[in-house]
Amino acid sequence: QVQLVESGGGSVQAGGSLRLSCTASGITVSVNAMGWYRQPPGKQRELVAHITSGGVTNYADSVKGRFTVSGDNARRLVYLQMNSLKPEDTAVYYCNFITGWGNSWGRGTQVTVSS
């Protein structure tokens, strides 16, 4: 059974930083990509950033230059370093792994940025 567990969320003032971590267990097939999505209050879930097994990264325009995604495919770990946080970054952040079995999701971690 695949399980993804996020950590590192919390509350921070605008301009601050947080680092999210996600550990996956139970994945015995190849991992094609790992990354993060978020769902702001009252809005749909959206891509934040992801990294492929080859190390290619992709970011939402709203976070480019502020957020950095990194990961360790072999250890099933993915991170999101978030700097210069803004109130509009407030959301539940979800870890995502794309494997040979399809998409797997964590339960989410809350990030709240106050002005």
Side-chain angles (χ1 to χ4, degrees), residues 44-69:
Q44 292 187 334
R45 192 174 298 190
E46 61 187 15
L47 172 69
V48 177
H50 76 194
I51 181 168
T52 70
S53 59
V56 177
T57 58
N58 182 41
Y59 294 92
D61 288 343
S62 59
V63 306
K64 284 181 181 177
R66 300 188 297 123
F67 290 11
T68 303
V69 63

Side-chain angles (χ1 to χ4, degrees), residues 30-92:
S30 61
V31 174
N32 299 321
M34 309 176 289
W36 296 89
Y37 285 69
R38 68 186 181 187
Q39 187 165 12
K43 297 184 179 180
Q44 292 187 334
R45 192 174 298 190
E46 61 187 15
L47 172 69
V48 177
H50 76 194
I51 181 168
T52 70
S53 59
V56 177
T57 58
N58 182 41
Y59 294 92
D61 288 343
S62 59
V63 306
K64 284 181 181 177
R66 300 188 297 123
F67 290 11
T68 303
V69 63
S70 61
D72 184 332
N73 195 332
R75 296 174 62 194
R76 309 299 196 233
L77 296 168
V78 62
Y79 305 100
L80 185 68
Q81 178 66 44
M82 305 185 293
N83 298 328
S84 302
L85 282 160
K86 303 176 181 180
E88 51 264 43
D89 294 318
T90 294
V92 177

Side-chain angles (χ1 to χ4, degrees), residues 18-43:
L18 285 172
R19 179 177 170 89
L20 305 183
S21 301
C22 175
T23 300
S25 59
I27 297 176
T28 59
V29 295
S30 61
V31 174
N32 299 321
M34 309 176 289
W36 296 89
Y37 285 69
R38 68 186 181 187
Q39 187 165 12
K43 297 184 179 180

